[in-house]
Amino acid sequence: MSIARQAFDPHDHDACIVSALDAAELLCFRHGARLTGRRRRVLELVWRSHRAVKAYNLLEQLALDEPGVKPPTVYRALDFLIAQGLVHRIESLNAFVGCTRPGQAHREQFLICDDCGTVHEMEVPEVGRSLTKAASGAGFQPEHQTVEVHGHCESCRQPAPRS
C-alpha cells in the first residue's frame, strides 16, 4: 500500500497506534525527553484515528481516565508532543494529528477530507522546494512550511449504494 494513501485506505489502525507509541518512546529516549504516562495517553488519543482532533475533545477523553483534568494539562502535553515532532497542528482546523514520520525532518503537506475529517500527511519534495524558491524570490526566508489541502477523499466521493 502506498504511504500516500494509507490514511484513506482500510488498514490495521491498531498497528498505527502501536507503531506511533513505539516510535515516540524511542525518539524521546534518544532526545533525553520524558514521555510521561499522561503525554503517552494524549498521543494515543491523537492516534485513535487519522482525523484531526481538537484539544477539548482530547480533554473530554482524558477526563474519562482522570476526572478533574484541566485544559492546561492537555495543552502542555500537546506542546511537548509537537516539540518532539510526534504531533502536528492543523492550523485551519485548530486541531492535531499524529506525525507519520517522527524524528525525520520534513516539509509536510496535509490532505484534509472535509466530509469524513480524515487527514493524511505526505511530503512531496517538489512542493517544498517550489515554495522555498518562490519565498526566496520574494525576499522572504521561510523557517517552516506546512501546506493544508482541503477536499474530499475517494471514499466520500463514491456514490452511496442504492437500496
Side-chain angles (χ1 to χ4, degrees):
M1 176 185 315
S2 161
I3 191 160
R5 297 190 43 89
Q6 185 174 1
F8 295 122
D9 288 341
H11 62 281
D12 181 359
H13 190 65
D14 288 338
C16 288
I17 296 170
V18 169
S19 177
L21 295 174
D22 287 349
E25 292 282 349
L26 182 60
L27 187 68
C28 287
F29 176 77
R30 286 181 179 161
H31 291 168
R34 210 165 143 241
L35 185 65
T36 64
R38 183 175 286 153
R39 291 169 175 168
R40 181 183 172 86
R41 179 69 176 137
V42 169
L43 181 61
E44 179 183 0
L45 292 171
V46 167
W47 271 98
R48 279 202 168 163
S49 72
H50 287 288
R51 292 175 176 85
V53 61
K54 294 188 176 280
Y56 274 89
N57 296 117
L58 293 169
L59 179 65
E60 289 171 2
Q61 290 297 309
L62 198 56
L64 297 175
D65 300 330
E66 299 180 47
V69 67
K70 303 288 185 214
T73 302
V74 172
Y75 284 108
R76 281 192 299 268
L78 287 167
D79 287 345
F80 171 85
L81 296 170
I82 290 168
Q84 296 303 313
L86 299 168
V87 167
H88 295 291
R89 183 169 189 264
I90 303 298
E91 299 289 335
S92 63
L93 301 176
N94 193 24
F96 304 88
V97 295
C99 176
T100 60
R101 289 185 297 277
Q104 299 175 27
H106 57 285
R107 296 174 178 160
E108 60 272 358
Q109 295 105 30
F110 296 100
L111 303 179
I112 303 165
C113 181
D114 290 327
D115 292 324
C116 68
T118 298
V119 177
H120 171 72
E121 176 183 354
M122 62 184 211
E123 180 179 19
V124 180
E126 297 81 18
V127 170
R129 286 191 294 270
S130 292
L131 285 171
T132 298
K133 183 177 178 180
S136 295
F140 185 80
Q141 176 63 46
E143 297 296 323
H144 178 77
Q145 60 177 257
T146 300
V147 175
E148 298 179 17
V149 180
H150 286 262
H152 309 280
C153 71
E154 186 175 19
S155 295
C156 291
R157 288 191 331 263
Q158 295 297 320
R162 294 181 183 217
S163 310

